[in-house]
Amino acid sequence: VTGGPVDTAFSGGSVWAEEPRLAATLRAWVHGGGALIGVGQPSAQQFQGRFFQLADVLGVDEERHQTLVTPEHFITADVHLGEGVLQGFLDAGYRKPLSGCGGGQAIGELGGIDFGEPIA
């Protein structure tokens, strides 16, 4: 199991950037049939264009910075937003758009999208 908040020993911190053998060893473990469970922000370290250094193994990465500002996202493509919802979101000071990835941008549901709890 790997997990915990970014910038803590639980997620691995800077060791992902400093010690490439760690990721290589875990990739080989999974490739050989081993199991790896990621919780919270597993293998979190912004490095080489990825946030989760084991995104290829985990099957998911956390969208951060530039990827959060795309105007449309496949996850929210079918979500109908009532009139004024997006403008209310922007007026409240949240970033646009309602991408669905990166979560924690809103409190509770907004326009049918439940962003969940912010990551502390």
Side-chain angles (χ1 to χ4, degrees):
V1 174
T2 176
V6 65
D7 296 328
T8 68
F10 298 104
S11 70
S14 63
V15 76
W16 295 106
E18 297 164 358
E19 186 50 66
R21 290 182 301 164
L22 174 61
T25 300
L26 290 171
R27 284 185 182 100
W29 166 262
V30 172
H31 182 74
L36 180 70
I37 299 172
V39 179
Q41 293 178 305
S43 69
Q45 174 70 34
Q46 192 67 48
F47 180 61
Q48 295 183 337
R50 284 195 170 151
F51 184 61
F52 293 161
Q53 294 308 300
L54 293 175
D56 56 318
V57 174
L58 298 168
V60 66
D61 200 358
E62 182 174 314
E63 290 195 55
R64 300 177 59 87
H65 311 298
Q66 185 177 356
T67 58
L68 287 174
V69 296
T70 56
E72 295 184 10
H73 197 282
F74 74 93
I75 290 177
T76 58
D78 297 330
V79 176
H80 172 72
L81 297 177
E83 188 174 327
V85 170
L86 181 57
Q87 191 58 49
F89 183 78
L90 297 173
D91 290 346
Y94 294 107
R95 293 186 302 262
K96 69 173 188 176
L98 306 175
S99 72
C101 292
Q105 294 182 34
I107 299 170
E109 287 196 23
L110 180 62
I113 302 172
D114 184 354
F115 286 92
E117 296 294 320
I119 298 173

